Structure formats: C-alpha cells, structure tokens
Amino acid sequence: MVADSSSTIAWLITATALVMLMTPGVGFFYGGLVRKKNFISMISLSFIAFALVSIQWILLGYSLAFGSDISGMLGNLQYLGLNGVSMNTGEAGYPPLLFMIFQMTFAAVTVAIVTSGLAERVKLSSFIIFSLLWTTLVYDPICHWVWGGGWLASLGAIDFAGGMVVHISAGFAALAIALAIGKRAGYGQYSLEPHNIPMTLLGAGLLWFGWFGFNGGSALAANSIAVNAIVVTNTAAAAGALSWMAISWYYGKPSSLGMVTGAVAGLGTITPAAGYVTPLTAVLIGAIAGIVCYKAMLWRIKSGMDESLDAWAVHGVGGFMGTIFTGIFATTAVCSYSGLLEGNIHLFTANVIGAVVVTVYAFIVTYVIAIAIDRTLGLRVSEEEEYVGLDLSQHGECCR
C-alpha cells in the first residue's frame, strides 16, 4: 500500500517529535544513574547536545551526510546552510526540509548517548568542542556511508533505523572517550551508586515511547513497513526487559534498573532490523540482546573500565548484534531483502563488514578527538571541581 503525501507528512512530523523526546529521555535516564551532585550536569549535557547538533546540522552536517556523494566517503556541500533544501513535497511524498529535521533528531540523540563515557568528570567547554567535532568527523561520515549513498550502501549493507549509524557509533565512541578521559575519582574504591532510580525509569519510558518514532518513522511513509517496525520495536523491548530481568534474578535480585536497561538493549538491537524482520524474530532478537548486553556490562565492570553508564554494553554491543542479525534474519515476508537464512550470503557479509568498519572508525576517531582536546583544552574538570560536583562547578546550580 502506498501512502498519500499528506499522511506521510503527518506521520513524519509526529515521528520527528517522538525522536526529539528521546534526547531529554537519555538525559533523564543517565541523570538518575549519577550521583546527586552531577544530576543537573548530566541532564544538561543532553539538552546542550541537542542545541549544538541542531545548529551544526543546518549549517554543515546535513550536507555532509546527505549531499551528493564524493567517492563514497562524504556528501558535498550543496546543502550548506540548507541551500536548496525545499519545503515543498517532492517525489518521495514529503518535503526534503522535513526529512532534514527528522534526521537531525537522530544525530542529536546519538551525541547524547555518547555522554555516558564522560559522566561526572567532563569540562563543559571541552564537551561543546568535542560534540561539534564528533558530529562532523564521526557521525556525519558514517551516516553518509550508510544512508547517504556512500560506500557501505553501495556494498549492499542495510540499516533500517541506526544500528550502525547511531548505536555502534555512539556505544564505541563512549568507550573510547571513557578510556581517554580516565576513571572517575574514587572509581573502584568506594560506592558510586545511582542517586535517583525513579528518574532513570522515567527516562527509559520516554526512550521506549520515542523509539516508535525512531524506528517507525524510518519507513519514511505511513505504511505497512512502519506498522511492522513499531510492532517489532515494542516486542524486542519487552523481550529484552524480561531476559535481562531473568538473568539478573538468577545472579541476584531482579532490579527495576536492570529491567529497563534490558528494554533499551532490546530497542537498540532491533533498530537496524526493524523494517526487515517478523515479530517472532523480534522476540528472539530482544531476548538475546538482554542476555548478551548484560554479560557485556559485567565484563566491562570486571575489566575496570569506567564507561560510566554502559552505552558501550547496551548501545554498542546491541547495535553490533542487531546489524549482524539483520543480515541473518531479513525476510521477504516483510521487505524486499533476504538474509542468510533465506540463502543471501551477500547481505550478511555486507552487514558484517559494515558493523566492523563502523566500530573501528568510531572508536579510533573518537579516541583521537578526545586525546587532542585533552592535551590542548583539558577534557576533564579539576580534582576539586570533580569533588564538589559538576552541577556547582560547571553550572553554578545544585539539586535540592
């Protein structure tokens, strides 16, 4: 069924609003996980990320991601300052200007996810510089490779709503910046417990809600693919929540925090496959995501890495798995693609290559950016500022 332009426009406007809500959702999710003295700072980083990316995307980012292809690597500058991006409905059934802002919300939430790796110790001025450089040098090129007609798209890799573009890039970037910035003071010596778990549960609820626009909107039409994407999104989230809860119960207590983290793991893992797999497959994908991401978190803790809020374990590992699962489980019963189970080894191989290359690129370039900023401007606050807390030292505010 082909949707008319008015229904498509209405759905994409709605989806844009839903995805926008995910950025403060990340802030609330992360904010509840940090100590009280860094609560305002953690939420603020997400809002700042949204504001920065909103301007960067209009001035430069959209053109780098979706401008005419240059050797498969980057878009040209034809849309610089949104030059030539029309507000009128085109052949696709929606205005290019609407597609631009829909994609902008993806870029913003990706930067917000990366803040996991520098929680409770980043200098605000350095975060601003990092965000602008990271969006320009990491997110925009990867977005072009996959969605803008770049080399991964030409290779045959598919990513429905951001397994590679959003989750692998953000998760492995968070790990890289955590290694570059160093551990929080006192990490491994005394408890750094979350101060407000109900706030994290609220953030998870906003993310789950917003994800319907994130995945459903990526159909770019009000059609059956959008419906399937929403159904499998909810299914994988539910399966992830239950499997994480079950395995954590086996090892101890079935915490509410673990349950919602499992839901986010299921959401991140289904994202690249949402337009290509059936609801029953989504149950399997979500269940595996909850277990594997939980194990990844335990490994990260055992290894002593202070990737504070587990974007790597949840988004990075989940996005990587989901990209591979897409190459395995994509089915012509839902879409025009067939995966490995239907005999298409080419799609599977292309997605494996895409997952590995995006992982390596995001990690290395992020680490280089972080080290460069650290050696010039200083990436983290002073020991005294960290002790006082970022709410006071960076914002002059406190949470009472």
Side-chain angles (χ1 to χ4, degrees), residues 29-31 33-34 42 115-117 119 184 300 307-311:
F29 187 89
Y30 286 170
L33 293 174
V34 299
M42 205 66 235
T115 61
S116 167
R184 289 169 289 177
R300 190 273 303 168
E307 198 282 279
S308 316
L309 310 178
D310 284 305

Side-chain angles (χ1 to χ4, degrees), residues 239-249 255 257-259 261-263 265 287 289-291 293-295 297 313-314:
L242 294 174
S243 67
W244 188 299
M245 183 176 70
I247 193 170
S248 63
W249 202 344
S255 71
L257 181 57
M259 179 182 65
T261 304
I291 294 169
C293 292
Y294 175 79
K295 290 289 190 178
M297 180 195 70
V314 174

Side-chain angles (χ1 to χ4, degrees), residues 55-67 135-136 140:
I55 303 302
Q56 187 273 354
W57 195 247
I58 287 174
L59 295 179
L60 181 67
Y62 180 70
S63 195
L64 292 176
F66 291 100
T135 307
T136 304
D140 295 346

Side-chain angles (χ1 to χ4, degrees), residues 1 5 16 46 50 69 76 126 142-143 163 165 179 183 209 218 233 265 278 293 308-309 353 370 379 394:
M1 180 182 71
S5 61
T16 299
S46 287
F50 191 87
D69 180 63
N76 67 12
S126 297
I142 293 173
C143 184
V165 178
L179 294 174
K183 301 176 184 179
F209 178 68
S218 294
T233 296
T278 66
C293 292
S308 316
L309 310 178
I353 292 171
L379 190 56
Q394 300 299 293

Side-chain angles (χ1 to χ4, degrees), residues 178-192:
L179 294 174
I181 197 172
K183 301 176 184 179
R184 289 169 289 177
Y187 180 80
Q189 300 173 15
Y190 53 81
S191 176
L192 303 176

